[in-house]
Amino acid sequence: MLGVLIGLFAFVGGILLLMRRAGPSTPASGPARLIVGPIGGMVLVLLGLFMLASTSFVFVDADRVGHLKRIYAFKELPAGRIIALDGEKGPQAEILGPGFHFIPLVRVLYDFEEFEVVTIPEGYYGQLTALDGTAMPSGMFMAPAIPDEQVGDMLKAEIFLTEDGIRGPQETVLKPGRYRLNRYLFDVRLDQETDATIIPAGHVGVVKSNVSQPGINCVEEEVSASQASREALTVPLVPKGCVGIWKDPLFPGAYYLNRQAYEVTLVDTRVQTWEYKGGYTKRIIDLSVDQQGNIQQTERSVNEPMPDIAADRAVFVKVEGWDIPLELRALVQVAPENAPIVVGSVGGLDEIENRILTPAIRSIVRNVTGASIRVPDRDASGALMSPPSYTLRKTRVLDLIENRDAIEQTIEAQIKVEGNKAGVDIREIRLGEPAIPPELLVSRLRVQLADQLSTAYERETEAQQKRIETEQARSTADEQPRLVEAQIAVQVANQREQERAALGRAERQYLEELARGQRAQVDVLGQDRVALLQALEKLLASLERKPELVGLVGKLVPNTIVGGDGAGLAGAAALLGASISGQNTQTNQRPAQ
C-alpha cells in the first residue's frame, strides 16, 4: 500500500512539474532548473508509473491456479452468496491460469492466492461439494449428475453460478485426470473412501440409489424370485436412475459412482459350494488278522471338527432309532437377474444361506432320511429289474450307503423348490460318507475280510504251486545231464529185460521140448533108466569141465560088467568104464611122447 501511495504522489507531482510554468522564483538556469522543470517531472511520472505497475500484475506457476479475493470495492456481496460475479468484495468467480497476468492495482485491490491443480489418480474419483449456488430443493438429497460432456462448463464458476448450479453435495464426480477449478466454490474430497467401484468377473453389483435423475418415470415394480410359487421372495425394484434398488444390476467393470449417492452390493454369481461337515465324534471298529489267521476287532473314536470354510456342521438324522451324523455338499448359484431380489429381500447370499437355505436343508434331510424311500427292485442275482420297477418302503440305515442316489435325488428335488423361492439355483446335492454306528457294519466287514483272506490264501497257494513248478523246472535244468544218463540207463535196462525175457522164453521152450523128449524116453526105456542116463549126462558134463575127476571115476566104475541083460544099465556102465579107461591110458601115454 505504501508503494502505491508513493507511486501516486510521484506520478501526480511529475504531472504538476510538467504543467508548471516558469515564475519569478524559478531559477533561470542551472541544475535546479532541471530538477523542478520538465525533466524532473518526467522522472517523477516514470517513477510513479513503475511503482503503480509493480502492484498490477501476478504470475501463476504451471501446476497452480490463481485465485483472487477482492478487498476494496464499492459493491457488497448479495445476501447468501460467497462468490462475487460482478466485482463485489470477496472471493471472485474468475480464476487465473498459468503465466503472467496484468490487472491494474491487483496487488492493492485483491488478495492473491494460489492452489494446486486438482489431480485425480487412476482408480479414484473426486467428490465435489459446491459452497455456493442455488439452494437445494426440498426433498433432494444431492445435486443431480451432469453429463460428462458438460462437466467442463460446470467447473467454471461463472457458468455454474449463472445457470442455477445447486449448492451442496454434487452427484457428479471428478474422474481420473487434472482439473483447474475455483477452490473458493468447490471443495474436493479425495481419500480411500472415494475409490472406484470395481465389479470383478463372476460378480454383479446391485445398486441401491439415494438419488433420482430428472425426467425418469420412477414406478416401483413388485418382482418375485419365482413365478411358480406364491411363497417366493418378493421385493419392490425400480428402473435405473430412480431412488431405490435398481432392477438391472451392474456387470463386471469399473464404475465411478458417488458413494454418497449409490450403495453397491457385490453378489457372487459363480457356483458356490456349501459344505455341511464336522462337529461330531466318529466311532470306528478296526478289524485285523493275527498270525494264526484269526480276526481281531478294536474300537476307537475320532473327533471330526467343523472346518472354518464349512457352511455349518453335519446334519444329524435319526434312522431306525440310530442318530447318524450325515455330511453333505450343496452347489448353489445366483443368476444375475435374481441378484437384486436376493439383496432386496434379505441383504445378500450369506443371509440367504444362514437364514433361509441352511434351516431348509437341515429340515429336508431329516425328513427324507426319517421317512420312506423309493428304491429300484432287483432280481435274485442282485441285478436291476427290466423294465425298471420301484418299491416305496421305510428308510433303513444301510440305505445311506446302498441307496444313496435315491436319497440324494429326493433331497435335491425338495431343496430346489426352496432355493427357487429365495432366488437361488440349487445345482446339486451330494451326500458324504455317513458316520454309521460301527456295530451295524462289523458283520459285513468281517465277511468281507474273510472273503479277502480266502482269496488271499487261494492266490498264495497258487503262487506257491507256481514256485514249486519253477523250482522243479530249474532243478530239472540243472540235473539234465544226469537225467539223460538215467534215461539211457533205463533204456539199457529195458533192453536187457527184453533180452532176458526172450532168453527165458527160449529156455522155457527148450525145457518143454526136453521134458517131452524125456517123457518119450520114459515111455521107451522106463523111468529108472532115463534117470540113470540123466545122471550119466550130468557126470559127463562135470568131467568135461574138470578132467582131473576122470581118474577117480575110472577107479570107481568097472571096466567089465557081467550081466544077463545086455540092454540094461549095466551095459551102459561098462561102456562108460571102458571109455574112461581108454581116456586114462591116453592121458598117461602123452607125457612119454
Side-chain angles (χ1 to χ4, degrees):
M1 189 63 181
L2 180 60
V4 173
L5 293 177
I6 294 175
L8 287 175
F9 284 123
F11 181 77
V12 172
I15 295 297
L16 293 176
L17 289 178
L18 291 175
M19 296 176 61
R20 181 180 179 182
R21 296 179 179 180
S25 60
T26 303
S29 62
R33 181 178 177 82
L34 295 175
I35 294 175
V36 299
I39 295 176
M42 183 63 67
V43 171
L44 290 177
V45 168
L46 294 176
L47 179 60
L49 290 176
F50 176 76
M51 296 293 291
L52 293 175
S54 64
T55 61
S56 300
F57 73 90
V58 292
F59 181 80
V60 181
D61 291 336
D63 58 348
R64 292 182 175 271
V65 181
H67 291 65
L68 298 175
K69 186 183 294 184
R70 188 151 188 171
I71 301 174
Y72 303 103
F74 295 103
K75 295 181 180 181
E76 299 289 339
L77 278 173
R81 285 295 180 93
I82 61 173
I83 303 297
L85 291 173
D86 195 21
E88 299 93 346
K89 293 180 182 179
Q92 303 297 300
E94 181 184 6
I95 58 174
L96 304 178
F100 179 85
H101 298 270
F102 179 78
I103 301 174
L105 302 178
V106 64
R107 296 285 186 178
V108 177
L109 303 178
Y110 298 91
D111 184 10
F112 175 71
E113 190 175 5
E114 287 184 299
F115 290 91
E116 292 184 354
V117 174
V118 175
T119 301
I120 308 299
E122 191 69 27
Y124 291 85
Y125 67 87
Q127 184 174 310
L128 290 173
T129 300
L131 304 179
D132 199 355
T134 305
M136 186 173 293
S138 177
M140 181 178 290
F141 170 73
M142 187 174 288
I146 296 175
D148 289 344
E149 60 273 11
Q150 299 179 11
V151 171
D153 292 335
M154 167 196 168
L155 298 180
K156 296 177 181 178
E158 298 88 343
I159 298 177
F160 182 85
L161 295 175
T162 56
E163 294 188 2
D164 297 328
I166 298 176
R167 179 191 301 134
Q170 305 294 308
E171 181 183 347
T172 303
V173 297
L174 299 181
K175 296 180 181 179
R178 293 169 63 85
Y179 298 89
R180 298 182 184 276
L181 66 159
N182 193 320
R183 302 296 293 276
Y184 294 149
L185 175 61
F186 295 106
D187 178 48
V188 181
R189 178 188 175 190
L190 179 64
D191 53 30
Q192 295 299 323
E193 296 183 2
T194 61
D195 57 333
T197 300
I198 306 297
I199 310 296
H203 295 71
V204 294
V206 178
V207 179
K208 178 182 178 297
S209 176
N210 299 321
V211 298
S212 61
Q213 297 297 326
I216 297 179
N217 183 21
C218 296
V219 178
E220 286 187 347
E221 178 184 358
E222 292 289 334
V223 180
S224 176
S226 175
Q227 302 298 328
S229 175
R230 295 182 179 180
E231 300 177 356
L233 297 179
T234 303
V235 63
L237 302 178
V238 297
K240 183 178 180 179
C242 298
V243 176
I245 298 177
W246 291 357
K247 183 177 180 180
D248 298 323
L250 300 179
F251 291 96
Y255 299 87
Y256 295 98
L257 299 177
N258 194 320
R259 296 280 178 94
Q260 289 186 337
Y262 304 100
E263 298 176 14
V264 179
T265 302
L266 291 179
V267 177
D268 195 338
T269 57
R270 298 171 297 181
V271 176
Q272 304 289 313
T273 301
W274 295 350
E275 289 187 327
Y276 299 83
K277 64 185 303 184
Y280 61 92
T281 300
K282 184 176 182 180
R283 295 172 52 242
I284 303 173
I285 293 181
D286 295 322
L287 299 182
S288 60
V289 180
D290 58 18
Q291 295 181 352
Q292 288 74 32
N294 300 320
I295 298 177
Q296 305 292 334
Q297 63 184 45
T298 305
E299 182 176 347
R300 60 187 176 90
S301 298
V302 177
N303 184 30
E304 298 288 347
M306 186 182 77
D308 295 335
I309 61 174
D312 204 352
R313 64 190 184 96
V315 181
F316 280 79
V317 299
K318 184 176 286 295
V319 184
E320 296 183 315
W322 297 91
D323 290 325
I324 302 173
L326 181 61
E327 297 182 349
L328 63 93
R329 183 186 71 238
L331 299 183
V332 303
Q333 186 176 24
V334 177
E337 59 272 15
N338 288 335
I341 300 175
V342 172
V343 173
S345 59
V346 295
L349 189 57
D350 291 339
E351 287 75 12
I352 287 285
E353 174 188 342
N354 298 327
R355 299 181 186 177
I356 298 178
L357 289 184
T358 291
I361 288 173
R362 288 186 168 278
S363 176
I364 291 173
V365 170
R366 292 192 186 103
N367 293 338
V368 170
T369 55
S372 299
I373 183 175
R374 184 169 175 262
V375 297
D377 295 330
R378 301 178 182 271
D379 57 19
S381 64
L384 295 176
M385 300 292 291
S386 180
S389 61
Y390 296 88
T391 300
L392 187 65
R393 61 168 174 78
K394 189 73 173 177
T395 304
R396 303 168 185 167
V397 173
L398 294 183
D399 287 335
L400 298 176
I401 299 177
E402 297 173 348
N403 295 300
R404 184 180 303 177
D405 291 342
I407 297 177
E408 287 178 346
Q409 293 173 5
T410 305
I411 295 174
E412 183 176 318
Q414 296 185 23
I415 291 181
K416 280 188 174 182
V417 175
E418 299 299 323
N420 290 334
K421 293 179 183 179
V424 177
D425 182 19
I426 306 296
R427 307 297 296 273
E428 183 180 83
I429 294 293
R430 287 292 177 264
L431 299 180
E433 192 66 28
I436 294 178
E439 293 83 358
L440 301 177
L441 300 176
V442 167
S443 59
R444 174 179 295 188
L445 293 176
R446 292 180 71 92
V447 170
Q448 293 177 352
L449 184 57
D451 292 341
Q452 292 177 359
L453 288 174
S454 176
T455 303
Y457 292 153
E458 292 176 359
R459 293 184 177 179
E460 185 175 355
T461 301
E462 293 176 359
Q464 292 295 339
Q465 185 63 33
K466 293 291 185 182
R467 178 175 173 273
I468 292 173
E469 293 176 358
T470 302
E471 293 294 336
Q472 287 179 347
R474 184 181 296 110
S475 299
T476 302
D478 294 339
E479 299 294 331
Q480 191 65 29
R482 300 178 185 175
L483 290 175
V484 172
E485 293 178 359
Q487 289 177 355
I488 294 174
V490 169
Q491 293 176 358
V492 171
N494 291 336
Q495 291 293 333
R496 290 178 178 175
E497 181 181 0
Q498 294 175 2
E499 179 182 0
R500 291 176 179 176
L503 292 174
R505 288 193 299 271
E507 184 69 19
R508 185 181 61 185
Q509 292 177 358
Y510 168 75
L511 293 176
E512 290 176 353
E513 292 296 331
L514 182 62
R516 282 195 291 270
Q518 289 176 355
R519 283 196 298 270
Q521 288 179 352
V522 169
D523 293 339
V524 176
L525 300 178
Q527 186 173 2
D528 296 335
R529 294 181 179 182
V530 171
L532 180 60
L533 288 174
Q534 291 178 352
L536 290 175
E537 287 179 357
K538 291 181 179 180
L539 179 59
L540 292 175
S542 298
L543 293 175
E544 287 180 359
R545 289 194 300 269
K546 295 183 177 181
E548 62 272 13
L549 298 177
V550 175
L552 179 61
V553 175
K555 295 179 179 180
L556 297 176
V557 180
N559 294 330
T560 302
I561 297 176
V562 179
D565 190 0
L569 290 178
L575 291 175
L576 177 61
S579 175
I580 294 172
S581 299
Q583 288 181 359
N584 290 333
T585 303
Q586 292 177 0
T587 302
N588 295 328
Q589 289 176 357
R590 285 175 185 172
Q593 292 177 0

